[in-house]
Structures are given as C-alpha cells and as structure tokens.
Amino acid sequence: MSQEKQASLPTIWCVGGTDSSGGAGVTRDLATLADLGVHGCAIVTLVSAQSHSAMISSKAMHPSLINEQWQVLAAEPLPCCIKIGAIANDAQANTLSTRIEMLSVPRPFIVWDPVLFSSSKSPLSNLSKNAIKQLLCVVDLVTPNTHELASLAGIFLDSEIKREINSNRDVRHAAHTLIDNGAKGVLVKGGHALWQPDAIDLYFTKSEETAFSQPRVHHSELRGTGCMQASAIAAFVAQGYSIHDALTLANAYVKNVRDISSSSCTQSLSTPTRQNVPHVPKLAGFPVNRDIFPTVSFIKHGPFTPGDGCETDRDVFDKHQHERHNKPFLPLSQTKRGIYPLVDSADWIETLLPTGVETIQLRIKEEVSPWDQKRISKEIERAVALTKGTSCQLFINDHWQLAIEHGAYGVHLGQEDLFTADIDAIRKAGLRLGVSTHGYAEIQRVKSLAPSYIALGHIFATTTKDMPSQPQGIDRLERYVELCGDIPTVAIGGINKDRCKTVADTGVTHIAVVTAITEAHCPATAYYHLGKEAGFAE
C-alpha cells in the first residue's frame, strides 16, 4: 500500500499485549483493522509467550515505555478511535487513564476489551477497584464476556455474593454495576452465556438495552474473537457508523470470520498434505452477506434497580425468538418500481391521483400544524375514500389506529413507533406495514417483523424533518438494498430529479420524495419527470 493511500485511511491506536502465536492481542487487532480498511498503530503493554493451549510467560511493560509509545503516536494527528486490550497492572492503567484525560475534546472513541486471562486461562491482568473505575470513566465502551463481567462487577459489590453469571438477569445487574461506576456503555458478549438458546450480545447504557442474536456455535476453537470484535467495533466507528451500526457490523464480521475459518479447517482436514491451523482466524473483509447478520432487538428500560420486576430470562428469550418467526405482513399489491410521494393533506392526494401514482403516503406533521385528532381522523377518512377503487396504495404515517378504523391500505411507522404501536393489531387488520430505518441495526430490527417494505434513509441531507442520523449516501444505500433481500425498499431523504437515476441504480424499489413534488411549479408534471429520470416511466 502506498504511503498516500495509507495516510488517507482512518487510524486506530491498539493498546494491549502481544501474542507470540498471532492468534490474539495487538497482532489480531492489527490484522482485523487491515482487513476492514483501517490503519492500526500499536502501543504494547505486555509481551506474552503463548499459544492456544499454554502460556509460558508474560512480561509487563514499564509505564514509562507505554508513555513513550503514546508520545510518539501523539506527535501525529490523533486517531479516530483507541482500542484497549490487556492492561497488566495499576501503574499501566493509571498511565493510560491520565493520557486519555489529557486528550483534547472531542476525544477519540475508546473501546476497552478487558482481557483478564489468556485463552489457556492464565492471568494477564491484575487491576484494583480504583484502577478499574478510573478506566471505566474514560472509555466509551467496555466489552467483557460473561466471565470478565463477573470479575469486574464483583469488585464493586460490597455484599458477599457469588461472582458468577448464570442468567440474563445476572448480566443486567452486573452491566449496570459497571455503569453505576462510570461506564458509558457495556457490551456483554454472549459466547459463554450457555443458558441462552442463541448467542446474544447485550449492549447496555443507562437507559437502553440492545440485543444482537446469532445461532449458537457449540464447537468452535477459534482464538482471538474478543480482540477481533472490539477492534472491528472501533474500525466501524472510525468509518463513521453509529455505535449501534458498528456493533451490528462487528457481530456480522466475527460470524463471517468464524464461518470462513471453520470452512478452511474442514478443507484442511480433508487434505492431508496441507497443514491444519484451526485456531487462527481467516480474513473476511467488510460484511455483506445478509445471512451473517444478527437479529437486533431494542429494549427500553427506565433506571435499573436489582429485583425491580423486570422481565425474566425466559421472557427475553421468547421475545427474541418470537420476533424471528413473525407471520409476514401482506405484500404490496403494486410491485412495479416507482416514485413514492409523501404529502401532508388529502388535497395533495386528489391532485396527484390523475398521474396514476401507485404508492403515496399521508404524513401529517402535527408539530408544525395545529391538527387535532378529530381533524386528523377526517383527513385520513377522506384520503382513504379518494383512493378506494383505484390502484393507488395509500399509507398513513404514524396514526395506525385511525388507519385501521378507516380501512387504509397500509401504515408507515418510525423506529420509536415500534415501541408503542400494536403491530399484531395492524397485521390482523390486513394492513400493509412500512417502517423507517437509518442503518444496519434498525434494518436488522425491522427485518424480523417481515414488513411490506423497508424505508432506507436519509440518503442525502434533507430539510423536511430533523433526522437522528447522518446522510447515508449512495454506497451505503446499495448495501442496505442487498441486506433487505426480497423485502421491497424505499429510498428517502433529499432526493431530487438530478439524483433520481443514481438512487434508482442501487436497485431500490421506490424513491420517496417530498419537496421535489410539493414545491414544484406543476406537481403532476414533476411526478412524471422524476419517474422518467429514474428510469421508472417510459
């Protein structure tokens, strides 16, 4: 790779130990980052002589050497992220915490994978309560497995309780113990949580919980997956993905590496002339195969209190399993690709119906207009009446109860609406369902509902509403369309006539527009020209 190209890559500092076998530690970090198109730099905390089955020795670096390594790297532009692995002792932890606190704001995103033991169960780290608390307060995400979580949380618990984790309730209690002691986010990896039917990584903040579920692999001797996953999270954050998308992509990446490595081992075993190296991960690249992505579930909670009556472990499992086996919503009646106008009144629907528009959405923005429920009900009733007996598929935004009451064709919901809407009632009423998404995590959440379509946005900057995410762009849109598989897709956000062809070329089913029609001199003509420019109309 040329120096110019390397300089253009996002940079991540990897802080941790070396592994002479190459299976874990900063060696695995750097290989993962290179595989994902990120430049990695190393700050070594300890040198271990180890393999998968044994560790002969481990030598901790003096804090002054760690400080010097940091100084050399800090002479260059700061990294996008810092990934921390094994920290041998309090002196190292204090040096790192102090260095992080001295960084200019905004600081790089910092992930700490608390490697306490080697693969052979030999200890790598000896940290006090104060050192751990200091680290928790300066990092953005800590990524323990259940054994590491038990060790870390146990240090902060005053009562004499068993330091083992045997249920999801134990996971929540321990994760919130770390949060109460300074952690901003905790990702608990589910590989060792054998009570779970599937392997579920659980992400916690003070007010939310997100589950990333994959079919469990019962026989895997792959090393370094914890280092790999934490490094991949940092890589995706460095590339501009939100934390939830980074967690989703990293989960898929590790799944892909497991699959490829397992396949490689099987081939090696069947080829006697080749040396079999079963414990070393293979390169996998950016995850694109939709079969490797986790099912994602968002769970909302208030402040956590042990024994507060939260759902049981079985409730959590059943919730996740149920979401993956939902009866699909009815498909769209009109499957031809086309322009999908979003309008705020029945008058607009009446104006556009003569164009032959096949899909349209009534989106009444109550925060802008002084609508009351009675007026909204009458507007929806009129919109439904206008489209009855036509080929136009009318979706009602948000107001699912009124859509059911007046017999609309479908309902469109946002992500927050999924917490409050009665999804089963919408399905049983025979209405179609469309859902907004803003990235990988939300797409994987919505796919489990088997909706009639998935809206992907916002693709470009838009002024029609405040958005919770950055513009996605064409490259991501193309990947999202592939991820959705056979589910129809709708691109939305800042799309005008000049952008229609580029958006259509991603394979998206519909292109949603607002101002490109509502602010046009002749809306009906604008609708026709948008479709022609996209290649949808003759």
Side-chain angles (χ1 to χ4, degrees):
M1 182 185 296
S2 68
Q3 289 185 345
E4 292 80 9
K5 187 173 182 180
Q6 181 171 303
S8 68
L9 298 177
T11 298
I12 293 176
W13 294 355
C14 300
V15 182
T18 64
D19 176 351
S20 48
S21 70
V26 293
T27 310
R28 181 48 42 200
D29 295 338
L30 297 176
T32 300
L33 297 182
D35 193 26
L36 293 172
V38 176
H39 177 61
C41 302
I43 296 177
V44 178
T45 58
L46 59 90
V47 176
S48 67
Q50 67 168 306
S51 65
H52 178 72
S53 56
M55 186 173 77
I56 298 174
S57 65
S58 175
K59 178 70 173 179
M61 295 290 102
H62 193 276
S64 63
L65 292 176
I66 295 174
N67 197 42
E68 289 171 0
Q69 294 176 80
W70 187 287
Q71 284 179 306
V72 169
L73 294 182
E76 303 293 333
L78 288 178
C80 301
C81 299
I82 299 173
K83 185 267 179 180
I84 301 173
I87 302 171
N89 50 48
D90 281 10
Q92 289 188 354
N94 292 336
T95 297
L96 290 169
S97 296
T98 301
R99 275 295 185 179
I100 291 170
E101 288 172 344
M102 292 171 61
L103 291 173
S104 58
V105 178
R107 296 174 184 165
F109 185 87
I110 302 175
V111 181
W112 177 31
D113 183 35
V115 182
L116 306 180
F117 300 92
S118 69
S119 300
S120 59
K121 311 304 181 187
S122 300
L124 290 171
S125 180
N126 182 23
L127 299 176
S128 69
K129 177 178 179 179
N130 288 338
I132 291 172
K133 186 163 186 174
Q134 193 175 10
L135 284 165
L136 291 176
C137 290
V138 297
V139 305
D140 297 286
L141 177 68
V142 57
T143 62
N145 60 34
T146 52
H147 299 323
E148 293 160 345
L149 178 65
S151 296
L152 292 175
I155 291 173
F156 294 103
L157 297 173
D158 296 327
S159 59
E160 289 296 324
I161 65 168
K162 60 179 181 179
R163 295 187 181 181
E164 296 178 357
I165 292 179
N166 298 307
S167 69
N168 268 23
R169 186 181 293 275
D170 291 344
V171 169
R172 289 194 71 220
H173 185 193
H176 279 275
T177 297
L178 299 189
I179 290 171
D180 291 342
N181 284 278
K184 300 178 185 70
V186 180
L187 178 72
V188 184
K189 294 169 289 192
H192 296 288
L194 298 181
W195 65 85
Q196 298 173 347
D198 288 344
I200 303 175
D201 292 348
L202 291 169
Y203 171 63
F204 299 89
T205 65
K206 188 167 289 188
S207 60
E208 70 171 319
E209 179 180 333
T210 311
F212 304 84
S213 178
Q214 292 273 18
R216 181 169 295 284
V217 177
H218 291 284
H219 302 288
S220 175
E221 297 182 336
L222 190 64
R223 291 189 63 216
T225 54
C227 303
M228 185 193 315
Q229 187 166 357
S231 298
I233 292 168
F236 294 123
V237 170
Q239 291 171 345
Y241 289 95
S242 69
I243 182 59
H244 288 98
D245 282 358
L247 295 174
T248 304
L249 284 163
N251 185 292
Y253 176 79
V254 173
K255 165 68 172 169
N256 204 19
V257 171
R258 284 188 183 278
D259 290 349
I260 293 172
S261 301
S262 175
S263 174
S264 176
C265 287
T266 301
Q267 292 174 7
S268 291
L269 289 170
S270 63
T271 310
T273 57
R274 292 182 59 188
Q275 185 179 8
N276 180 28
V277 186
H279 306 311
V280 179
K282 306 298 179 183
L283 300 182
F286 192 97
V288 293
N289 180 354
R290 57 179 173 268
D291 294 333
I292 63 175
F293 279 81
T295 298
V296 178
S297 302
F298 290 81
I299 305 165
K300 270 200 170 180
H301 295 295
F304 175 75
T305 303
D308 63 356
C310 64
E311 67 267 89
T312 65
D313 300 320
R314 177 52 54 188
D315 290 335
V316 173
F317 294 147
D318 286 348
K319 194 179 300 181
H320 296 158
Q321 294 297 326
H322 172 70
E323 288 173 355
R324 285 167 50 178
H325 299 288
N326 276 316
K327 181 180 177 182
F329 277 84
L330 291 172
L332 299 176
S333 306
Q334 302 292 337
T335 57
K336 188 169 69 173
R337 300 175 74 195
I339 301 298
Y340 181 177
L342 276 61
V343 297
D344 61 5
S345 71
D347 287 344
W348 274 111
I349 295 173
E350 188 171 25
T351 298
L352 292 171
L353 275 176
T355 66
V357 60
E358 293 185 341
T359 309
I360 199 164
Q361 183 182 136
L362 179 62
R363 184 172 73 176
I364 299 173
K365 297 165 67 174
E366 295 176 74
E367 69 274 12
V368 176
S369 304
W371 290 85
D372 56 39
Q373 284 298 302
K374 190 173 182 179
R375 278 187 67 200
I376 293 172
S377 179
K378 286 187 175 297
E379 196 73 7
I380 291 173
E381 184 177 24
R382 182 177 170 226
V384 171
L386 285 169
T387 54
K388 285 294 184 185
T390 74
S391 61
C392 184
Q393 304 171 132
L394 171 66
F395 282 84
I396 304 301
N397 183 268
D398 290 351
H399 300 284
W400 59 272
Q401 299 101 323
L402 293 174
I404 293 174
E405 179 183 337
H406 296 302
Y409 180 83
V411 173
H412 181 94
L413 298 177
Q415 288 288 312
E416 285 298 312
D417 300 318
L418 296 179
F419 287 115
T420 57
D422 190 333
I423 302 298
D424 285 336
I426 297 170
R427 184 188 287 107
K428 289 175 182 176
L431 273 64
R432 276 72 173 175
L433 176 68
V435 186
S436 295
T437 65
H438 311 89
Y440 284 97
E442 292 181 358
I443 290 171
Q444 287 305 110
R445 177 196 192 189
V446 167
K447 280 169 62 179
S448 64
L449 297 174
S452 307
Y453 72 76
I454 297 177
L456 309 169
H458 60 301
I459 308 307
F460 305 102
T462 177
T463 59
T464 59
K465 63 184 294 189
D466 292 332
M467 302 302 296
S469 58
Q470 296 298 313
Q472 301 295 313
I474 292 297
D475 290 342
R476 291 191 188 181
L477 174 61
E478 193 166 14
R479 286 174 171 165
Y480 296 158
V481 171
E482 174 62 26
L483 186 61
C484 290
D486 296 332
I487 302 175
T489 50
V490 176
I492 186 170
I495 303 172
N496 54 29
K497 181 181 174 183
D498 294 336
R499 293 166 169 168
C500 265
K501 182 64 167 62
T502 305
V503 172
D505 287 346
T506 65
V508 71
T509 314
H510 290 85
I511 296 176
V513 293
V514 184
T515 58
I517 285 180
T518 60
E519 295 183 4
H521 176 70
C522 179
T525 302
Y527 173 82
Y528 170 75
H529 285 304
L530 286 165
K532 187 174 182 180
E533 188 66 27
F536 296 158
E538 298 179 358

